[in-house]
Amino acid sequence: LKAGVQRADRFPQETTDLIGQLFILVRKAVAERAQTTYSVAKHLNASFGRFACLLLDVLDRGQLFNLVSKYAQLLDTHRTDATLTEFKFTFLDQLASHRDFIALNAPKIEKDLPTLGKELWRRHFLIALILTEANRTYELVAAHESLTHLAVSCTDFLFAQFRRMQEDSRFSSATASARLASMYFPLVPLLADRVTTLANWPLSTRRRATVCALWVLNHVEADQLTKWWKNETPARHCGVLALLRVALGAFRLVDPQKQTTKRGTKSLSSSRNTNKSGKNQSTPAAKQLIEGFYGQDPLQRKKNRMSTEAGSAGGLRAWARTKDGSGVSRHSGLIRRPSGGAAAMQHIEAKYDKSAGTATHSAMKSGYRAWAQKRTDSVTPMKSSQSSSKLTAIVTNEGDDALIALTDVGLMALDSLARFMTDFSQELLKPGSTYLKPCIGVLCQLAKLRQSTVLLSALLDMLRAVVIDFAEVLFGPGDGATFCSKIVYHTLRYCGSQHAETRGKATALLCILAKTNEKTTGSIARVKLQATIAVSKLVRAGGKGGVSFALLQASLREAARCCTQGSVSSPLLARELSALAERAVQVLKDSQQIAEFRWDPETTADLYYDIARGYIDAPDLRVVWLSNLAKWHESRGHHVEAAYTAIVAAALVARCMLVLDLNAASTVPQDFHTVYRTVDDERLAALLSLGDEVCRSGAFSESGVVNLLRDAINRLAHGHLHEARVECYRLLLPVYETRGNYLAQGICHRNLQQLCQSIGSAQAAGKRERLFANHYRVAFFGKKFGRLDGNVYVYREAAAVRLADFTERLTRQFGSKFELNGGKVPLISNKNDPIDVSTLNPDEPQMQIISIEPYFERGATIADAARRRRRTAYERAFDIDMLSYQTPFTKEADGKAMTEDVSKQWVRRTVLHTSVPLPSLRKRVLVAKRQDIELSPIEVGEETLRGVCLKLMEELYGPDRAAAIDDDDSDDPLAMLSDDDEAQTNVDSKSLQMILQGSLLLQVNAGPIAIVKAFLGDNVSSYDPKLVHQLRKTMCRFVVLLERGVVANARLLA
């Protein structure tokens, strides 16, 4: 060596051959002993690796490279053997530990980035060997998921190489780092092509692999990377973007309670800068950020967007520009943020604090540029004494370095994304661009994570740049609405942040979104709609992620105020943002009340319905909340209400499709009156102005309508509502007929046949096989009832729920909530007496509960004849909007309510008109109108006889036939009672005898004879002739029915 003999001449050929044989023998020994004496094989392989490393100094390197390559290939004979794979990477690691390993791989500087092929072997043999072995291993793991442990060994080996480079002070300069990144660049496409497999690797392995790839992407020369981008395929580009998302997901913080303030990074949940009064402090900053871009004329604004001095208002090129003018942020090491970063952040935070004074526009711009430059300058190479522990903290997420690790990785991902979007800016602006979706996906992936304010500040800055540079895409047709919705959602999330600077930047971004939308399309329809949806999502999330709804409301109001002042004044924009703020407040109140009133299922359902009704201009959200209401009903066993909710949702979807002329709008049903007659109350003409901004979910399609109707049919089956199911099937049949779906048509017809047979059998049998709902009137009195105080409701309960059961449930429900003595709310009266509210104590909760029955008007006074003709029991139990109860009274001086003299007995019939017909989307509906009708004694007598006739007919002929006879208004009382009518064969003798004993053999109270003597006797001329005629007709029917009842009873007794 001292004589300077060339490497090729240092050893004779025999020695070189012996060394080659030694490589073969050692490989065989390692392979054989790996299965028997593992420790011996491991030690032998490691020692031989160190021996090969020493040979780099003395042996001809071409010969040694050949031997090393063959050794690695021999160890690769059994590719699925984890032990041999581990030994192979241990051997290569020993070889790579040589002090001149990098120099041996970089004989000259190349202009182009290498690829994993012959060119890489020629230029960087050892690195080519390492990456080729890594590629083989990753291919094997992709083909066999059970061999993931091989990927772990390979990735640990690669990560050790990068850590060793970080510890070497010779490679601390930017030039050296770029050289290293160029040599290891094939690792990036290698991982990008297997990003799906990589996502399933163990967490620590994912972190190590992605950190290496990010380091390479951020240190390679910009010109080389740009040229590589242009020569690669779109699939490879998307793979790299997906790799960025995997990296961010691998470094997400798990512990939501952890707060870190080390080295200038502060937790998102930190409240040191929170305004205790709940008022947003971002007014000056937000206003100046907006004016920084929109306070100029269009020509100047365009010039500034392309200028390198655009500052905070500039686009991606300004965001990514650095001191050396390379157009990208450069990292000479895995990032470590010194104390200077904290000082820079405090300087910016002061601009968002009123106590620091109001910053001017120019100061704000320079402040942003100073911060961006400061962030670049603060990226310094790590000291060798800290490198190992620092890298370990990054990949294992241990200790207080967890938040710093995410910040480092996040900033590298943002810088890589900025370089890509800058190079492909023209491609991203094209309609239907392949790259915009994954680019926005990376930003949204980062926005979802709990992160430091340093990283969040950079993210909001880049989002602002994206909004400005790609306004035509975000607010244009196609997928722009989807991208805009994601950006708006995360913007509003951070408008409710506890951190003043974050809140200020997010508020400014919201204003810029709205203003850009207005500049691009002439309105802010898209931002308004997406903000409405975002507020709804945040409310449903319940404040997760540190969102303060009080601060969110304050930020929205501040944004509206910013738009009424200065050079960016826009009254229309201010009004829209103010309306959005008020809607957020209302949705928040309703959502808070949903949580508050979980103990009251009826109030909860009301709140769900009110929220759904509030989204008139957002049908997508309306359908979502209707779905939530249906699920709530289903969880409580209210199947009928859940079914009608699905029907109303289907009608809403169908009408929206018709209004917006969506695909298949002509094939879906539009007339839902046969199922629920109030669905056409929806006013949807305003949707025309929104165009393709709304109704983008899968529910707004033919299949969406069909699925909702199917859900309704299944839920109606639980309530045995066969008639309603028949009508739903009739709505589905035209859809299947239009599409030529004969299989579905056959199923519908078969089900219809079964349903119609069930209904017909029940009608033929004449028995009341199905019991329909009961109805109760409930009045609430007392301040403790809150929104219920003073209101009167009609409750629809199952047939099995009687008055006593319902009263017990309701009084205990409210009594337990109000913690009353006895656990029940006191009842005012179980009688039907009118209540004088002035006599009640408002501090004492009280209720009045009364059983009520459906009411149907009779005679020619009814305008709607179709509603009057209710021939079946089902028709008399559904689509009910009038119910009544009766209160007896007399006009005598003693004031008694009841008397034995039928000629003096009056009745007050109270008719309640509900706000919507029952059944409906809620079990409880508000009484919209009350009507009191006084029945004279003769009318009371006629009603009494009519009621007995109806009971007799139900027993003799069944409920449906009885309803048809009772509904007859002809003058002939026997018109519907021909001699051919015979009593049904399955009459219940006990029920019939009870009716006969109560009407023919009276023991108590006045009977039919007393009614006849009082009103059809000598004083008949003193009564209204029309009433007398009606009484006579009813009496004749009563006599005939009594006769037939007695005959039927005798037949049963025989």
Side-chain angles (χ1 to χ4, degrees), residues 243-465:
L243 184 63
L244 298 182
R245 296 191 63 176
V246 172
L248 295 174
F251 283 88
R252 65 180 181 272
L253 300 179
V254 178
D255 182 10
Q257 302 299 327
K258 189 174 181 180
Q259 296 186 6
T260 304
T261 56
K262 188 176 180 181
R263 295 175 186 169
T265 59
K266 290 169 284 201
S267 171
L268 184 64
S269 59
S270 174
S271 58
R272 288 185 299 168
N273 293 299
T274 303
N275 189 336
K276 301 298 182 181
S277 64
K279 185 176 180 182
N280 196 334
Q281 299 181 0
S282 60
T283 306
K287 178 182 175 184
Q288 291 156 7
L289 284 171
I290 301 166
E291 289 183 349
F293 182 73
Y294 291 106
Q296 310 160 353
D297 59 78
L299 214 58
Q300 182 65 28
R301 183 165 64 250
K302 181 176 181 181
K303 179 180 178 181
N304 283 352
R305 283 177 57 180
M306 302 302 296
S307 172
T308 59
E309 299 297 322
S312 65
L316 285 171
R317 296 183 185 278
W319 189 92
R321 191 162 298 280
T322 58
K323 181 172 64 175
D324 61 0
S326 62
V328 295
S329 177
R330 301 300 309 276
H331 304 273
S332 56
L334 289 171
I335 307 173
R336 181 173 66 88
R337 215 148 306 285
S339 58
M345 289 308 304
Q346 291 170 2
H347 174 67
I348 294 178
E349 289 164 9
K351 296 181 179 297
Y352 289 91
D353 195 336
K354 289 183 178 180
S355 62
T358 303
T360 62
H361 166 51
S362 59
M364 193 64 208
K365 289 178 67 177
S366 63
Y368 171 73
R369 289 199 305 272
W371 175 82
Q373 189 64 60
K374 190 74 174 180
R375 184 170 72 85
T376 303
D377 294 341
S378 67
V379 178
T380 58
M382 293 177 294
K383 296 179 181 179
S384 59
S385 61
Q386 297 177 340
S387 297
S388 178
S389 61
K390 174 63 179 178
L391 287 172
T392 302
I394 288 179
V395 298
T396 59
N397 209 8
E398 294 176 350
D400 292 338
D401 284 337
L403 194 59
I404 300 176
L406 175 60
T407 302
D408 295 341
V409 172
L411 289 174
M412 285 194 290
L414 281 179
D415 288 339
S416 298
L417 182 63
R419 297 175 74 169
F420 178 86
M421 296 184 76
T422 301
D423 289 339
F424 287 88
S425 58
Q426 297 302 318
E427 179 67 27
L428 289 167
L429 287 172
K430 294 180 180 179
S433 172
T434 309
Y435 303 131
L436 190 58
K437 182 177 180 179
C439 287
I440 298 296
V442 174
L443 294 173
C444 293
Q445 172 79 4
L446 184 55
K448 293 177 183 177
L449 304 179
R450 188 174 66 91
Q451 53 193 277
S452 68
T453 54
V454 174
L455 179 55
L456 188 53
S457 178
L459 172 63
L460 292 173
D461 288 339
M462 185 167 180
L463 282 173
R464 185 164 64 247

Side-chain angles (χ1 to χ4, degrees), residues 118-129:
K118 293 182 178 180
E119 184 65 18
L120 181 64
W121 284 94
R122 183 183 65 82
R123 291 161 54 179
H124 314 296
F125 182 87
L126 291 179
I127 290 180
L129 175 64

